[in-house]
Amino acid sequence: MANVAVVYWSGTGNTEAMADLVAQGANDAGGKATVIAAEDFDAGQLGDFDAFAFGCPAMGDEDLEQTTFEPMYDEVESRLQGQKVALFGSYDWNEGEWMDKWGQRAANAGLNVVGTAIAKDYPDDDASEECRRLGALLAE
Ligand SMILES: Cc1cc2nc3c(=O)[nH]c(=O)nc-3n(C[C@H](O)[C@H](O)[C@H](O)COP(=O)(O)O)c2cc1C
């Protein structure tokens, strides 16, 4: 059984809803998901998990949230080489460019990015299904 960490930051709840869906997908696929707010996660917990989903909405100008999420992510990314990782988050104004940048960044850092999921605002049925699918991939 894979222990899956679902680590997220969310200002208005959209990415938080996605985190719960990713966790549901992982649990339904036989894994054990733990949903953790970004401020409660650090590199010391990496060893407790087999796979990781990170969630952050588009903030700034197609960036990650810089006060809480990105400092945590900067710390853990370099220690996740070769590990199964999925990325997800919500956006509104543009077309998801922040996720293209983030996925590229993670791949360049040597992470095994098994998939990404984005939702315009609150996840609709299609985005919800994508989130569950990500969770299932991490639980394999
Ligand atoms: C300060 C700020 C910056 C944002 N920057 C972007 C952006 O660059 N591109 C975009 O598509 N949406 C942007 N948004 C919209 C959010 O990504 C969107 O509202 C998202 O659903 C918020 O997710 P959350 O509910 O998990 O916080 C921004 C929102 C805020 C408040």
Side-chain angles (χ1 to χ4, degrees):
M1 183 177 65
N3 279 321
V4 179
V6 183
V7 183
Y8 76 97
W9 183 91
S10 184
T12 57
N14 298 328
T15 303
E16 183 176 20
M18 297 175 80
D20 289 339
L21 289 158
V22 172
Q24 194 183 96
N27 288 331
D28 287 351
K32 181 177 183 300
T34 305
V35 179
I36 307 167
E39 58 264 35
D40 297 328
F41 192 73
D42 59 36
Q45 295 165 67
L46 294 176
D48 298 342
F49 299 98
D50 305 302
F52 302 85
F54 291 103
C56 183
M59 295 295 283
D61 181 13
E62 300 302 316
D63 289 320
L64 299 172
E65 190 279 325
Q66 293 185 349
T67 302
T68 302
F69 187 86
E70 195 160 20
M72 176 282 298
Y73 183 76
D74 283 345
E75 182 196 359
V76 301
E77 187 186 54
S78 62
R79 302 172 195 222
L80 285 171
Q81 283 169 14
Q83 300 259 6
K84 276 169 79 167
V85 167
L87 307 176
F88 65 93
S90 175
Y91 68 100
D92 186 12
W93 311 333
N94 292 325
E95 302 297 331
E97 291 90 337
W98 105 106
M99 184 57 77
D100 296 338
K101 281 169 55 178
W102 188 10
Q104 196 60 57
R105 170 188 169 166
N108 289 343
L111 280 57
N112 175 14
V113 183
V114 298
T116 63
I118 63 175
K120 185 168 173 61
D121 302 313
Y122 195 85
D124 63 10
D125 287 351
D126 286 348
S128 297
E129 192 48 44
E130 281 297 293
C131 290
R132 288 193 204 92
R133 189 184 63 84
L134 276 192
L137 285 173
L138 294 175
E140 276 175 5

